[in-house]
Amino acid sequence: MKVGYARVSKYEQNLALQMDALEEAGCEKLFHDQVSGAKTQRPGFDKAVAYLRDGDVLVVWRLDRLGRSLPHLIETINVLEGRGIGFRSLQEAIDTTTSGGRLIFHIFGALAEFERNLIRERTQAGLAAARARGRTGGRPKSLDAKKQEWLFRMYDEKKHPIQEICDLVGVSKSTLYAYLRERDRKNDR
């Protein structure tokens, strides 16, 4: 069975064009949303996915009606494929129920993975270059050296409860323990 899904943003009202194309493509059941593609809550899409069964095909007018980004689109179609559900996009002529359609879709997946790897490599190279110039990155320390020394002294004296130390120094318990772990790591070297 072919199941159609159409989506328009709140501002554009051209749902009829998509619905007509889906009916013409032979969709027996139609679902739709009037929300931005950036929204994660899409009740019509959720109902369509719940309705689909093994052997069915989800049909959309265009790829961008289904996914917010290429990785999101690939993830969605992989979930459908895992349930034995095919996918078809009318405008891009992609049909994962055919070997050619699966090939095109897997090429999209490979390109998305390649893009993620490039971003990861660039990020790691940038961080390494910054470290080589003496920048460690991350959030700035909330305590200067004098306050850290005071925190350690009060903690080591064991005369003050943890919450009192936190209140006096002006940090949370998790921050206090992070400073203590950092000190322990430095002392273990």
Side-chain angles (χ1 to χ4, degrees), residues 70-101:
L70 186 57
H72 176 253
L73 184 65
I74 289 167
E75 177 187 338
T76 301
I77 295 175
N78 283 336
V79 167
L80 293 174
E81 190 176 83
R83 291 181 42 202
I85 299 165
F87 171 76
R88 184 171 171 213
S89 173
L90 300 176
Q91 293 295 305
E92 290 84 4
I94 295 174
D95 185 351
T96 65
T97 62
T98 68
S99 56

Side-chain angles (χ1 to χ4, degrees), residues 7 19-20 23 27 32 39 41 45 50 52 58 68-69 74 90 110-111 116 132 137 184 189:
R7 182 186 61 76
M19 298 295 264
D20 291 347
E23 284 178 1
C27 294
H32 69 277
K39 300 287 184 192
Q41 297 292 329
F45 177 71
L52 290 162
L58 178 65
R68 299 183 301 274
S69 63
I74 289 167
L90 300 176
L111 290 172
R116 283 191 304 272
D184 291 345
R189 290 182 189 165

Side-chain angles (χ1 to χ4, degrees), residues 88-173:
R88 184 171 171 213
S89 173
L90 300 176
Q91 293 295 305
E92 290 84 4
I94 295 174
D95 185 351
T96 65
T97 62
T98 68
S99 56
R102 280 192 303 277
L103 172 64
I104 295 296
F105 184 72
H106 287 295
I107 290 170
F108 281 175
L111 290 172
E113 183 178 350
F114 176 69
E115 179 184 24
R116 283 191 304 272
N117 288 337
L118 280 178
I119 291 168
R120 185 180 315 114
E121 288 171 6
R122 280 191 220 118
T123 301
Q124 289 173 346
L127 290 171
R131 278 192 296 273
R133 290 189 308 275
R135 295 190 57 196
T136 56
R139 181 182 284 200
K141 297 283 186 196
S142 58
L143 299 180
D144 60 23
K146 201 173 225 177
K147 280 191 178 181
Q148 285 181 43
E149 196 177 303
W150 188 38
L151 177 144
F152 296 144
R153 190 171 352 104
M154 284 191 291
Y155 180 82
D156 293 339
E157 289 173 351
K158 298 186 187 333
K159 293 181 183 176
H160 305 278
I162 296 295
Q163 189 59 56
E164 184 181 338
I165 297 170
C166 291
D167 292 341
L168 288 169
V169 178
V171 296
S172 67
K173 284 183 183 181

